[in-house]
Amino acid sequence: MKIIAVGMNYAAHNREMSNPQPDAEPVIFLKPDSALLTGGRPFFIPDFTQELHYETEIVLRICRLGKHIDERFAHRYYDALTVGIDFTARDLQKKYRAAGLPWDLSKGFDGSAVVGKFISVEEVGDVQNIDFHLDIDGITVQKGNTSDMLFGFDKIISFVSRYFTLKTGDLIYTGTPAGVGTVKIGNNLKGFVGDRKLLDFNIK
């Protein structure tokens, strides 16, 4: 099982982070399967970061084997989605980026890919117009809509499948909107698609 993630896929988030806007292609990175955190289990803040950021994202679940997928057929390759958190050790990421080094350690650590309960695509309706948001301790801190993505689901799947064979059970994190921020011990995080709560866990 692979965890594939898209970086810099919302223009407003790129502006808040002073990131360049991608041109013709999505920005892709990977997380190991040991990064996956499911079932509402708590997330334990690692001791190597002092600036842990949440990034709320829609996560797709791949449902069939695919390679070199044409964009017009890409919708056939995912059957469910949820809201997830791409945790980022921002201080490490800044350090590695400044040195021109890979920043895998800032994104791929254990527990850094949180996923909620999956729901079928049919339950969602228009997948390119999904409202989603994150509440921390009962306060909405981040919200987005998939219509604001620079690269939509089908484009992402088609592009990624040129490089990686997609397999059943693979997950794709599709990017985060503006509003990222830090978490601390004791926080409760709840993620929603529309008004439906799909994610609920605590920070330890």
Side-chain angles (χ1 to χ4, degrees):
M1 188 272 285
K2 298 184 292 300
I3 302 171
I4 301 164
V6 183
M8 300 186 288
N9 201 24
Y10 286 80
H13 172 62
N14 293 336
R15 289 192 292 269
E16 78 173 344
M17 300 302 297
S18 299
N19 289 331
Q21 300 289 358
D23 294 325
E25 297 181 344
V27 175
I28 303 297
F29 61 95
L30 302 177
K31 290 174 178 267
D33 57 7
S34 57
L36 191 63
L37 185 68
T38 63
R41 290 180 293 153
F43 174 82
F44 292 86
I45 296 179
D47 60 6
F48 51 74
T49 179
Q50 302 302 313
E51 190 181 4
L52 184 72
H53 276 200
Y54 59 81
E55 297 187 9
T56 312
E57 315 196 5
I58 294 296
V59 182
L60 305 179
R61 185 178 69 192
I62 298 299
C63 63
R64 60 192 296 187
L65 186 72
K67 177 70 174 175
H68 293 296
I69 301 166
D70 191 289
E71 188 173 342
R72 60 184 169 153
F73 300 127
H75 66 279
R76 301 177 181 176
Y77 287 81
Y78 61 97
D79 63 350
L81 57 81
T82 189
V83 62
I85 303 294
D86 166 23
F87 275 124
T88 303
R90 193 71 70 194
D91 45 358
L92 295 187
Q93 186 185 48
K94 291 174 182 176
K95 180 179 74 172
Y96 297 142
R97 277 183 165 175
L101 299 172
W103 34 272
D104 302 61
L105 294 180
S106 71
K107 285 281 194 178
F109 51 89
D110 290 354
S112 63
V114 189
V115 289
K117 177 184 176 182
F118 281 91
I119 57 174
S120 69
V121 171
E122 288 75 16
E123 293 180 69
V124 176
D126 183 1
V127 296
Q128 294 304 330
N129 187 26
I130 301 172
D131 284 315
F132 61 100
H133 69 276
L134 176 71
D135 289 358
I136 297 182
D137 299 335
I139 299 172
T140 299
V141 295
Q142 190 178 21
K143 56 185 177 180
N145 186 286
T146 55
S147 65
D148 294 323
M149 293 192 301
L150 299 176
F151 303 99
F153 295 164
D154 294 349
K155 176 70 174 179
I156 292 167
I157 288 172
S158 178
F159 177 78
V160 167
S161 71
R162 291 169 54 195
Y163 301 90
F164 309 121
T165 297
L166 295 178
K167 297 183 176 182
T168 301
D170 287 349
L171 302 179
I172 300 181
Y173 281 66
T174 59
T176 194
V180 302
T182 58
V183 293
K184 62 184 180 180
I185 294 173
N187 284 156
N188 171 253
L189 278 64
K190 291 184 172 71
F192 298 80
V193 167
D195 59 0
R196 186 167 180 174
K197 184 179 71 174
L198 300 179
L199 181 67
D200 188 346
F201 70 105
N202 296 315
I203 304 295
K204 298 287 189 177

